[in-house]
């Protein structure tokens, strides 16, 4: 990876780390105050609003990154692209709010929680004015990270000050929106540094329609199967079951963000390389990205399957014991999502093969819908977990077959023996820790240290190239920081 990619990956990892720490601090508190019913209501409302957010965004969050990256060297062209996409985005936001108003009026289940729905729907407007795709297209990850961390700290303070009883779930919903989206107001204000907010002429909205519709279809299918579980659980079971499922996927969501950090920062770089016909470098960073995802996602999956009971009890409390089995079931999806994120977003999209990605997510959505219909009535939150796991596997399978020649060689050349030995070593020690029957937080803390040291110790002992590169990069960063301090 080039120096800028390493810096962007570090910044995005810090951003993910803040997203990891934030729920670790807040969710144990909130889940014990709101209980499964309260957290379930917020999870259902968030998943429901996600469909209208998806409609308002129209695939622009992914397409916009690529479009801005291609013209990042020309401010006038960049401004024209931003104006065009922002206009489309704003128009679709009005359409989305109209559709949401109709649903609130027509569906009793939605109308019953209309205050919560309205509060969470503010994310639609905030995401529109936030033009986050502009900052990612320009690879401004230092700004994105700093801004996000500051607003999460503010939300953290608000959480402890304002959420005190079970009836405060609407306030909790508002704070979650503040933590994730309120910083987009600064995005809009700050965008004048990079965009000329005046008429630059030469506008052509039509040039974006065809490709945006492909990205929109991708976003539709993805939103369907990533939010369908909570929505179907909400309609077919109880708010408490949604709460159990939400607790089960909480850790998975955080870990997926961590594993996917590399793919997020590589999209603009990959698009730039393909646009400038630098295909060898494109293949090199794609190979490293796939290997990195495998190196990280597999041990994370195994570790949190082992410590699923401790993870649930630490984050949510004894009231959420029904979340343990769903969490174990859904953990392997970390591997599937990590790989499909690289193959789809970092490889297929820059190559202009968005239709393959669209096909894969449609397959995932159909599989998820069918399996949820079959399994949720029987197994409730565990049934939803089964549907999600198999849907994510199907998404990966479609993308893999499209790239099987290139990816097959990378996977065959991956140092599987190193990974297996490292995982076996760490797992054996962690099973010993579980036998000590420590409190959940002590078991997780000790298990994390022991598993990490054992796993990476084995990789370094076997001179694993990827692990050595990670260690050398970390040491180089530490040395650079120390040199800066002594200047």
């Amino acid at each position: 990876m080039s120096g800028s990619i390493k810096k962007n990956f570090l910044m995005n990892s810090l951003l993910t780390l803040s997203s990891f720490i934030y729920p670790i601090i807040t969710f144990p508190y909130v889940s014990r105050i709101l209980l499964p019913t309260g957290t379930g209501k917020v999870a259902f409302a968030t998943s429901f609003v996600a469909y209208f957010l998806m409609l308002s965004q129209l695939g622009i969050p992914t397409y916009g990154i690529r479009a801005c990256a291609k013209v990042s060297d020309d401010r006038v062209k960049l401004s024209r692209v931003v104006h065009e996409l922002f206009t489309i985005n704003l128009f679709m936001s009005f359409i989305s709010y109209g559709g949401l108003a109709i649903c609130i009026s027509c569906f009793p289940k939605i109308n019953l929680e209309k205050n919560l729905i309205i509060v969470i729907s503010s994310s639609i407007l905030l995401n529109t004015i936030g033009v986050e795709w502009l900052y990612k297209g320009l690879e401004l990850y230092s700004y994105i990270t700093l801004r996000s961390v500051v607003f999460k700290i503010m939300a953290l303070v608000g959480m402890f000050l304002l959420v005190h009883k079970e009836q405060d779930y609407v306030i909790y919903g508002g704070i979650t929106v503040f933590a994730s989206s309120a910083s987009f107001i600064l995005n809009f204000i700050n965008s004048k540094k990079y965009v000329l907010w005046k008429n630059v002429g030469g506008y052509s909205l039509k040039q974006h329609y065809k490709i945006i519709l492909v990205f929109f279809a991708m976003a539709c299918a993805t939103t369907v199967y990533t939010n369908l579980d909570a929505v179907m659980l909400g309609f077919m079971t109880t708010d408490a079951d949604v709460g159990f499922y939400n607790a089960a996927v909480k850790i998975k969501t955080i870990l997926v963000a961590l594993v996917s950090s590399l793919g997020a920062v590589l999209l603009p770089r990959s698009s730039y390389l393909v646009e400038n016909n630098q295909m060898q470098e494109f293949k090199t960073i794609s190979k490293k990205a796939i290997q990195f995802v495998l190196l990280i996602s597999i041990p994370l999956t195994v570790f949190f399957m082992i410590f699923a009971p401790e993870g649930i009890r630490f984050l949510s409390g004894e009231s959420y014991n029904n979340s343990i089995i769903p969490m174990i079931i859904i953990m392997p999806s970390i591997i599937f999502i990590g790989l499909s994120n690289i193959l789809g977003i970092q490889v297929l999209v820059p190559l202009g093969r968005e239709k393959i990605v669209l096909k894969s997510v449609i397959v995932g959505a159909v599989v998820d819908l069918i399996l949820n219909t079959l399994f949720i009535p029987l197994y409730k939150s565990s049934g939803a977990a089964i549907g999600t796991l198999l849907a994510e596997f199907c998404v990966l399978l479609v993308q893999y077959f499209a790239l099987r020649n290139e990816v097959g060689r990378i996977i065959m050349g991956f140092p599987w023996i190193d990974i297996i030995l490292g995982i076996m070593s760490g797992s054996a020690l962690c099973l010993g820790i579980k036998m000590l029957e420590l409190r959940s937080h002590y078991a997780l803390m000790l298990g994390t240290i022991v598993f990490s040291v054992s796993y990476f110790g084995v990789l370094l002992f076997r001179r694993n190239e990827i692990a050595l590169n990670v260690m050398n990069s970390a040491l180089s960063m530490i040395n650079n920081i120390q040199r800066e301090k002594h200047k």
Side-chain angles (χ1 to χ4, degrees):
M1 291 188 290
S2 71
S4 59
I5 292 178
K6 288 180 180 179
K7 179 183 176 182
N8 290 338
F9 177 59
L10 173 63
M11 289 296 104
N12 209 42
S13 296
L14 290 175
L15 178 62
T16 304
L17 183 62
S18 71
S19 300
F20 179 83
I21 293 173
Y22 177 76
I24 283 181
I25 296 173
T26 60
F27 198 70
Y29 172 77
V30 168
S31 61
R32 288 164 173 82
I33 298 293
L34 302 183
L35 300 178
T37 300
T39 57
K41 287 179 179 180
V42 176
F44 172 79
T46 302
S47 296
F48 183 76
V49 170
Y51 290 105
F52 296 92
L53 176 61
M54 170 268 299
L55 177 62
S56 71
Q57 295 296 288
L58 206 65
I60 291 174
T62 304
Y63 169 70
I65 296 174
R66 192 178 77 173
C68 290
K70 287 182 177 181
V71 294
S72 58
D73 296 330
D74 188 319
R75 193 177 185 189
V76 174
K77 289 183 179 179
L78 176 65
S79 300
R80 184 178 296 116
V81 167
V82 173
H83 293 176
E84 291 166 348
L85 296 182
F86 181 74
T87 300
I88 296 170
N89 209 164
L90 191 62
F91 174 75
M92 292 307 301
S93 294
F94 287 117
I95 299 294
S96 295
Y97 275 117
L100 185 61
I102 293 172
C103 287
I104 291 174
S105 301
C106 295
F107 296 103
K109 169 87 175 171
I110 306 302
N111 187 265
L112 191 64
E113 298 296 344
K114 64 180 179 181
N115 291 336
L116 177 61
I117 296 286
I118 291 170
V119 166
I120 291 179
S121 71
S122 62
S123 61
I124 296 174
L125 178 61
L126 291 171
N127 273 270
T128 298
I129 67 172
V131 292
E132 185 83 342
W133 35 271
L134 165 65
Y135 293 89
K136 289 181 178 179
L138 298 178
E139 301 186 59
L140 299 172
Y141 286 95
S142 295
Y143 163 78
I144 293 171
T145 300
L146 178 61
R147 175 215 67 193
S148 179
V149 169
V150 169
F151 275 81
K152 279 185 172 62
I153 292 173
M154 294 167 65
L156 183 64
V157 174
M159 190 81 69
F160 291 118
L161 289 177
L162 301 174
V163 179
H164 300 294
K165 56 185 183 296
E166 192 174 351
Q167 292 73 29
D168 289 339
Y169 63 89
V170 176
I171 298 174
Y172 169 58
I175 292 174
T176 58
V177 172
F178 181 89
S180 62
S181 305
S183 59
F184 292 160
I185 297 172
L186 290 184
N187 277 15
F188 188 76
I189 296 171
N190 193 54
S191 64
K192 63 183 180 181
K193 293 181 181 179
Y194 314 102
V195 175
L196 301 169
W197 285 107
K198 63 180 182 179
N199 192 332
V200 295
Y203 296 116
S204 175
L205 300 184
K206 290 183 179 179
Q207 65 173 314
H208 302 293
Y209 291 161
K210 185 176 180 180
I211 188 65
I212 277 180
L213 287 176
V214 175
F215 279 98
F216 173 61
M218 288 165 50
C220 277
T222 303
T223 302
V224 165
Y225 79 80
T226 54
N227 293 280
L228 190 63
D229 311 324
V231 173
M232 289 185 72
L233 276 168
F235 279 112
M236 299 170 71
T237 58
T238 66
D239 289 329
D241 287 308
V242 181
F244 293 137
Y245 184 73
N246 182 53
V249 301
K250 182 66 68 174
I251 294 176
K252 184 219 77 170
T253 303
I254 298 167
L255 297 177
V256 164
L258 177 64
V259 171
S260 301
S261 295
L262 186 59
V265 302
L266 285 178
L267 175 57
R269 182 57 52 89
S270 298
S271 299
Y272 179 84
L273 293 175
V274 171
E275 181 73 11
N276 290 276
N277 203 32
Q278 299 178 33
M279 297 308 296
Q280 190 55 48
E281 188 174 349
F282 170 74
K283 291 178 181 178
T284 299
I285 64 171
S286 298
K287 176 182 176 180
K288 288 183 178 180
I290 292 170
Q291 291 181 333
F292 178 84
V293 165
L294 289 171
L295 186 82
I296 298 299
S297 64
I298 297 174
L300 281 175
T301 296
V302 173
F303 177 83
F304 281 97
M305 289 178 75
I306 293 172
F307 283 102
E310 290 79 5
I312 290 296
R313 288 167 190 153
F314 170 70
L315 270 183
S316 309
E318 299 289 340
S319 302
Y320 291 78
N321 281 338
N322 287 350
S323 302
I324 294 172
I325 298 301
M327 177 178 166
I328 293 173
I329 293 171
I330 210 169
M331 276 296 108
S333 65
I334 296 170
I335 304 170
F336 305 150
I337 298 172
L339 287 174
S340 62
N341 180 270
I342 296 296
L343 299 184
I345 302 303
Q346 190 219 310
V347 178
L348 290 169
V349 168
L351 289 174
R353 300 176 68 185
E354 297 88 3
K355 290 183 179 179
I356 300 295
V357 184
L358 172 58
K359 180 181 177 181
S360 71
V361 294
I362 289 175
V363 169
V366 171
V367 169
D368 200 36
L369 177 62
I370 293 171
L371 295 180
N372 280 347
T373 303
L374 293 174
F375 292 137
I376 286 178
L378 297 174
Y379 307 115
K380 298 182 179 179
S381 55
S382 293
I386 294 170
T388 295
L389 177 67
L390 295 179
E392 296 292 0
F393 177 72
C394 290
V395 171
L396 174 61
L397 203 60
V398 173
Q399 295 180 6
Y400 172 80
F401 273 108
L403 297 165
R404 57 187 176 278
N405 293 330
E406 300 88 342
V407 178
R409 287 193 292 269
I410 295 173
I411 292 178
M412 289 297 292
F414 188 70
W416 290 104
I417 294 177
D418 297 354
I419 304 299
I420 292 170
L421 289 175
I423 289 175
M424 289 176 62
S425 171
S427 299
L429 293 172
C430 285
L431 289 173
I433 291 173
K434 285 178 71 73
M435 293 175 65
L436 298 176
E437 297 184 353
L438 301 172
R439 290 179 177 271
S440 296
H441 55 289
Y442 291 131
L444 281 172
M445 193 182 307
L446 182 59
T448 300
I449 295 170
V450 169
F451 190 95
S452 300
V453 171
S454 176
Y455 175 70
F456 282 103
V458 169
L459 295 185
L460 293 173
F461 177 77
R462 291 184 58 82
R463 311 294 296 173
N464 180 275
E465 182 182 352
I466 310 169
L468 288 172
N469 285 338
V470 171
M471 184 184 72
N472 290 334
S473 296
L475 291 174
S476 176
M477 258 187 298
I478 292 171
N479 290 333
N480 289 337
I481 292 171
Q482 289 178 341
R483 279 198 293 268
E484 289 294 326
K485 285 183 177 180
H486 287 97
K487 282 185 180 180

